[in-house]
Amino acid sequence: MIRKYREWGGLIAMIPVLAYGQVFPSTGAAWVLPGSWQDAVIDGKPVTAEQVKVWESQHADVVFGSMQDRAMNQKMNAMGYMYAHKFDCRPGKQEAWLSRQAFLAGVDVEEGYLHFAEDTVLLMDKPSSGMAYLLEGHPYHLLLVRNRQFSTARLPIDLQAGDQLIVMSSYPFDAFELEAESLPRVSRHVADDTGAVGRWQPVAVSWQAEGSSSSLGTFVPGGAWHSAFPRYLGRELNTGDPGLAAGLRVWMLSLSWPQASRLDTLAISPWLAVSQTGQQQGLAIPGWDPRNDKNSDGYVDEHEFSVRANVSASARFRHQARLIPAGYLWPGTCWYRVNLLDSAFNTLHAQWYQQDWQRQGLSGAYNDDMAKLLGGNQFKVVSGGKINELPYVAGSQQAEYDYAMQLAGFLKQVKSLTGTRWLAANISELNLWHYEAWPPALREVIDVWLREHYLTPAIGLGRLQRYWDNFALAGQQDKSLIMASTKGGRSQLSPRDLSAWQQDIETGLALYYLFNVPGQTYYHSWNQSYRYGSGHTDTANWPQPGMAKNSAYQPTAMLSVDIGVPEIAPQGTERVVFEGKGVEADSAATAIGGIPLQPSGWYWLQRSGWFSDFPKQGVIARRYSKGLVVYRGARERNQSDFFATEPLDVSLDGHYQRVNFDGSLGPAVSQVSLSGYQGMILKRVGDN
């Protein structure tokens, strides 16, 4: 990186500029979670999925996600996706890799999870469909062994005499239910010294009829029932499953039928329970107390359960007490909260990112949902809630703050191991200086900030005048991706009107140029949804289906017009005032409430009431060395009638040409007419 220096408001401010070539002249650009490329249309021409991918690689500087191509990632400076404070309930590649490495390092993988210390009920609207893995007891994998040949088993299945069904689970259990014509003989695996399946040991199962063909089988795991790598008879038992192939250790039962039989269903008995709590549903999670496991074999048997030292903790296995933010899961997901206090596991966890980034050619990664940790925005506790690893109740401010400190420490370890200076966080519009749950240590460890859906066409002046934190982040030399979306814009009111979409995107770019800090900010334009990708448009997200999404939403031609770099407000203009909690600062200020700021250079072209720093409506401007950007807004956001307000004629400080959506320049003018919630980019006449 090299640095250039410009004078801002009489002060010298450092503006870092990337040493490598930037795609567009006046700002950096980025993609968010590209992928799932499809044959599409770009600039009116049909292109293949590979050509879409190449086009994307040539039209942005950084990637939040991955191009799924090592060389492209390295060229574009890609930050992969990470979520350091959650593991998936159904293990994927990351959990599988950690499972293997933990075994090789002699680390108990259970140390990587937080656990409730007491039986707990959490509020939730309804269970996420991703929780079906636990609530319905889906086995991780079912394998049919027939004549010493292995194949994936899919139920229902007709079994031949002598068939063996291997049930693989990502956690130990002591009960399962099946519907079958006859009951099987049951054995559990016994691991050898290498961690693979050494032999099968018969298990005594107590069967209880649940219906005409349904039976509940319970058994005592007996001793320490260890997980194992799924290898048997010298062969891998993964049959193509990516988690098993990545090294996931599993607990296995062998079910064998001496005579032909039909198996309709098989499920592991769940330990979680969904209950009704008043008008809302709740999820009951049992607590774990190691004192209840008197012989320390990892299982609370019937006798130990009857004489528990802590009757408020009813988990039979430790894993059953893992924290699940039940009411705040994304649709189709199920997550556990990660324990960030175990140093041995933290080392392995950090090594996962090191090897994963090297494999993909990534510069770093962005951590999603950085404000969703252990506080009330993730856990609503009805009863219980104490955590084993922390002296707090889930959902409390103390738990939230301390966990944020622990996350900061872990991310610092990741940075130390990987050497990255591209550790990013998704915080949307969150103001870190106003968020009490966010400790300074967590803010300081992050290099890049993803401001998802930060700008919208009808954002309004009130929000703009509270968005000083972008310049505070720039003031500490951090980078930011600032996303402009079309939410609440003209295109949402008229989704089939192409000109409405183009005007929203034009306004979004003008808004972005208000915040642009060369070398430190990156621009991304998107639709109204949070579903990212590189597929083609459909009638729900663009007037013309079949377009490559990123090419449709990025105003490439407008970005190609050079308007220079931001400058200070012209002499004699009224500066825009930023509003903080009990403090104010104008756009030339270098601090607000003691927080350093990069001066923004914003000023008013027009506003209602020149004696008010916070007008009901007005036009904000920012001067560039070769141009000008303007935005007309009302104080309040998303006032649909303001779109139809009378256009406002605004005088300029010279002659300019409007930058049109297709990159062409309009006639030279000294006055422009702005509709409500409209932004405009202007090129100064005579500045090439």
Side-chain angles (χ1 to χ4, degrees), residues 228-248:
F229 296 121
R231 294 195 298 270
Y232 188 52
L233 299 176
R235 296 172 58 185
E236 299 285 344
L237 302 185
N238 62 53
T239 65
D241 182 273
L244 298 178
L248 182 68

Side-chain angles (χ1 to χ4, degrees), residues 517-533:
V517 179
Q520 288 181 248
T521 59
Y522 300 91
Y523 165 76
H524 181 244
S525 178
W526 194 245
N527 59 40
Q528 295 138 24
S529 78
Y530 290 89
R531 296 186 293 273
Y532 306 115

Side-chain angles (χ1 to χ4, degrees), residues 242-253:
L244 298 178
L248 182 68
R249 291 170 58 78
V250 290
W251 287 260
M252 287 179 278
L253 289 183

Side-chain angles (χ1 to χ4, degrees), residues 12-50:
I12 298 296
M14 291 186 297
I15 303 178
V17 179
L18 298 180
Y20 59 80
Q22 186 173 274
V23 175
F24 300 110
S26 296
T27 186
W31 304 129
V32 174
L33 294 180
S36 301
W37 293 273
Q38 295 176 282
D39 295 349
V41 173
I42 295 179
D43 296 332
K45 300 175 183 177
V47 289
T48 66
E50 181 61 25

Side-chain angles (χ1 to χ4, degrees), residues 20 50 101 147 210 272 293 307 333 374 376 395 430 537 617:
Y20 59 80
E50 181 61 25
Q101 298 305 314
N147 299 324
E210 297 281 302
L272 303 172
D293 180 19
V307 295
T333 65
L374 277 185
L430 180 69
T537 59
Q617 59 175 288

Side-chain angles (χ1 to χ4, degrees), residues 46-82:
V47 289
T48 66
E50 181 61 25
Q51 288 172 323
V52 173
K53 187 174 180 178
V54 170
W55 184 94
E56 288 182 349
S57 74
Q58 297 170 342
H59 287 79
D61 306 289
V62 300
V63 179
F64 288 74
S66 172
M67 296 300 293
Q68 300 172 29
D69 180 288
R70 182 181 172 85
M72 282 186 180
N73 283 341
Q74 291 175 319
K75 182 179 179 181
M76 297 182 66
N77 220 340
M79 287 159 280
Y81 182 88
M82 67 186 295

